[in-house]
Structures are given as structure tokens and as C-alpha cells.
Amino acid sequence: MKNNWLNPFSRRALLALAAVLLPLSVVLAQTPEAGPEMADQLRQDGKIYVVVAVIVVIVVGLLAYLVSIDRKVSRLERELRD
């Protein structure tokens, strides 16, 4: 048996913790007076709704794709069982 410093579960937990904490450090490093200038400009021009709509369309498309993949995998699993 190998003598690993960390077992696989600990490595995953450590990687998950790093994945959560690293972006948090970037957010905390920003100065509070620096506001989202681009978002303010888009809001003033009325274009923020276009940005939100594009994001919603992308997320809905990804969710629909995941659902279709899940259905295909479920169908293949049923065929293998039979």
C-alpha cells in the first residue's frame, strides 16, 4: 500500500476549499469605492436588459442540453439493463 501524504478524499476536500477561497480573496482585495462603472453605463443606456437576456438564454440553453444528455444516458442505461 502506498504511503500517500493525503488520501484521495482529503485531496478533493483541499481542492474544493482552494476553489472556494481563491476567488474570495480576489473579491476581498477590491476597494469599496470602485463601483461597477460599465454596469452603470449599461443601465443608463437601457442595455443592461439585453445583457441579462443573453445570460438567461445561455443558462437556459445549457440546462436544456444537460436535461437532454441525462435523458439519453438514462435511456442507454435502461437498454443495458434489459
Side-chain angles (χ1 to χ4, degrees):
M1 181 176 211
K2 291 182 183 178
N3 187 8
N4 289 336
W5 182 67
L6 291 172
N7 64 22
F9 179 74
S10 296
R11 282 189 212 141
R12 287 185 198 157
L14 189 60
L15 286 173
L17 182 64
V20 170
L21 292 180
L22 285 176
L24 183 63
S25 66
V26 174
V27 170
L28 294 176
Q30 296 178 357
T31 59
E33 65 266 1
E37 297 172 12
M38 184 177 62
D40 290 338
Q41 184 64 38
L42 287 173
R43 196 176 300 118
Q44 288 174 359
D45 295 342
K47 295 179 182 177
I48 193 73
Y49 302 111
V50 175
V51 173
V52 171
V54 168
I55 292 171
V56 167
V57 167
I58 290 171
V59 168
V60 167
L62 286 173
L63 288 175
Y65 179 69
L66 287 174
V67 167
S68 71
I69 293 291
D70 183 53
R71 287 182 180 168
K72 289 178 183 179
V73 168
S74 297
R75 183 178 46 98
L76 289 172
E77 287 175 344
R78 275 194 310 258
E79 287 178 8
L80 284 175
R81 267 186 280 156
D82 294 340

